[in-house]
Amino acid sequence: MTSATHPDLARLSHHRLFTPRAWSALLAAVVLMALLPALNLWFAPGHPLHVSAYAVALLGKFMCYALAALALDLVWGYAGILSLGHGLFFALGGYAHGMYLMRAIGRDGSYQSDLPDFMVFLNWKEYPWYWSFTEHFWYAWLLVLLVPGVLAFVFGYFAFRSRIKGVYFSIITQALTYAAMLLFFRNDTGFGGNNGFTDFKRILGFDITAPATRASLYWITLAALFGALVLARAITQSRLGRVLTAVRDAESRLRFLGYEPLGFKLFVWTLSAVLCGIAGALYVPQVGIINPSEMSTETSIEMVIWVATGGRGTLVGPIVGAGAINGLKTWFTSVVPEFWLYALGLIFVLVTLFLPQGIVGLVRKLMGLRRQRAATPIALGQEKQA
């Protein structure tokens, strides 16, 4: 006797990461983005195909923001956990990598000391214990992964075990970020105070301002963003992703069915923090500075706006939203900087009222209407033939 798998069950058990059409669009976008630094290297300034170093650095920064927005979408869009403190994880990754870059300066600082200039100015005699071994690139990147991950795990364990959720969880994450910002602003904590870390010169022995180094950092960021998107898609399309969606939509019912949400929420929360830390670490060498302002509540709220504008729970949407909002911010702050916060607030209100599913949701709706209109004449023709 042979048994056949029901078609519906087969579809449920096998999920493609992306459709062939989506794969083609993603790969085309990656190739196009990857060409931009090459055009900067291949063609001299003034050539029609030349892309300026400023544009390369700006797009690299936008991709770091996109990675942070993607990380936030994992917890907010799929698990229903609204964090107003992801700026903390972003900054922690940046500080861990930033200290390596500070130590890579060597004696080329203003004071020609083995210590960073801000430590010499504040009369420090040696590095504090928590900056030990940060002269090693591999160790600094270990901190990039572990510090945000461990903090998120410990905080999330106690918060989720206590069943804190909703607006209360959001307020606690915001308070945690604000407290960390105040700590990092202090001059006696070894984090550079108001100025933070800056004046980077080398990374792995290469001149950090050289066009080839800038291009390499850009390509690494692009690869990290693409890899994170594929990883997030794999998670959300798996059984784990369906459980996370159930946590978002009906956590009490899920617990009634025998699932303990703690482990699932803790996993996606910690993974999101690690991805955000990687985004911060890639951000620092391309922008050239990291300071406590990256931990401000405004930064974390902006991340939420990126996700909401692009499309919460879509993965691609936050990437689009981060690029669109930051591109608009770049234009506003260069033309009418005093009106940017008003414009940002207006964008969030309009998106909430008229685009609840964001830009990607609008595009999907328009494509659905187009398919529906295309199918209507066919259906009418079939009715006439009948």
Side-chain angles (χ1 to χ4, degrees):
M1 182 177 178
T2 60
S3 60
T5 304
H6 193 278
D8 293 336
L9 295 178
R11 283 194 295 270
L12 286 173
S13 61
H14 176 71
H15 290 276
R16 292 181 297 182
L17 281 180
F18 297 102
T19 63
R21 188 174 180 180
W23 272 118
S24 300
L26 282 174
L27 292 176
V30 169
V31 170
L32 179 62
M33 293 291 291
L35 277 176
L36 298 179
L39 296 178
N40 172 258
L41 296 174
W42 293 343
F43 300 99
H47 192 281
L49 295 179
H50 176 75
V51 176
S52 68
Y54 170 77
V56 172
L58 186 65
L59 289 174
K61 181 175 74 170
F62 287 179
M63 286 191 293
C64 294
Y65 288 151
L67 180 55
L70 175 64
L72 179 59
D73 191 39
L74 264 179
V75 292
W76 185 32
Y78 288 90
I81 304 170
L82 175 57
S83 168
L84 295 180
H86 261 48
L88 172 60
F89 305 131
F90 184 88
L92 288 175
Y95 268 96
H97 194 201
M99 178 49 74
Y100 161 76
L101 296 173
M102 289 289 289
R103 300 189 72 161
I105 294 174
R107 289 180 170 268
D108 292 343
S110 300
Y111 295 98
Q112 297 182 347
S113 169
D114 291 327
L115 294 175
D117 287 345
F118 77 88
M119 287 188 174
V120 177
F121 178 76
L122 294 174
N123 202 30
W124 288 67
K125 301 303 181 183
E126 58 183 1
Y127 286 97
W129 63 267
Y130 44 85
W131 287 135
S132 300
F133 307 111
T134 48
E135 71 273 17
H136 303 292
F137 180 80
W138 65 269
Y139 183 78
W141 267 90
L142 189 63
L143 292 180
V144 168
L145 301 177
L146 287 181
V147 173
V150 171
L151 177 62
F153 182 87
V154 173
F155 173 81
Y157 175 77
F158 289 105
F160 298 143
R161 192 184 67 168
S162 302
R163 299 187 182 181
I164 299 173
K165 55 185 178 180
V167 66
Y168 302 104
F169 183 86
S170 301
I171 292 174
I172 292 175
T173 57
Q174 190 176 53
L176 175 67
T177 303
Y178 187 72
M181 183 185 69
L182 294 180
L183 175 67
F184 276 61
F185 264 123
R186 295 184 57 176
N187 289 326
D188 58 352
T189 53
F191 298 110
N194 293 347
N195 297 324
F197 299 161
T198 187
D199 194 29
F200 309 132
K201 289 180 171 60
R202 286 181 292 273
I203 180 170
L204 290 174
F206 297 97
D207 181 5
I208 203 169
T209 60
T213 307
R214 292 286 188 182
S216 299
L217 290 169
Y218 178 100
W219 286 323
I220 291 171
T221 305
L222 178 60
L225 178 59
F226 180 73
L229 176 61
V230 173
L231 174 63
R233 179 70 175 179
I235 291 173
T236 56
Q237 288 293 99
S238 66
R239 293 181 179 179
L240 171 60
R242 292 197 291 273
V243 174
L244 291 175
T245 305
V247 170
R248 178 193 66 192
D249 296 338
E251 184 175 346
S252 299
R253 185 178 299 178
L254 185 70
R255 188 176 285 108
F256 177 78
L257 292 174
Y259 287 88
E260 175 50 56
L262 174 62
F264 299 102
K265 295 168 72 172
L266 198 55
F267 168 76
V268 73
W269 171 254
T270 304
L271 175 62
S272 176
V274 171
L275 291 176
C276 217
I278 293 173
L282 293 171
Y283 169 89
V284 169
Q286 297 182 85
V287 175
I289 188 172
I290 180 70
N291 57 43
S293 65
E294 298 297 339
M295 297 183 187
S296 65
T297 55
E298 291 85 354
T299 300
S300 297
I301 292 173
E302 278 193 24
M303 290 183 184
V304 173
I305 296 176
W306 301 342
V307 176
T309 302
R312 174 189 170 198
T314 61
L315 297 181
V316 175
I319 298 175
V320 174
I325 295 297
N326 284 288
L328 193 61
K329 179 180 181 180
T330 301
W331 179 83
F332 253 92
T333 52
S334 63
V335 179
V336 281
E338 64 274 13
F339 292 108
W340 165 240
L341 290 179
Y342 298 104
L344 184 64
L346 179 62
I347 290 170
F348 188 57
V349 170
L350 293 177
V351 167
T352 303
L353 293 177
F354 303 106
L355 291 177
Q357 296 178 336
I359 296 173
V360 171
L362 176 63
V363 171
R364 287 177 176 176
K365 184 176 181 180
L366 294 176
M367 291 176 64
L369 291 174
R370 183 179 178 183
R371 286 194 295 267
Q372 184 178 359
R373 290 176 181 175
T376 301
I378 299 176
L380 291 176
Q382 291 175 349
E383 290 179 3
K384 291 180 179 179
Q385 290 178 1

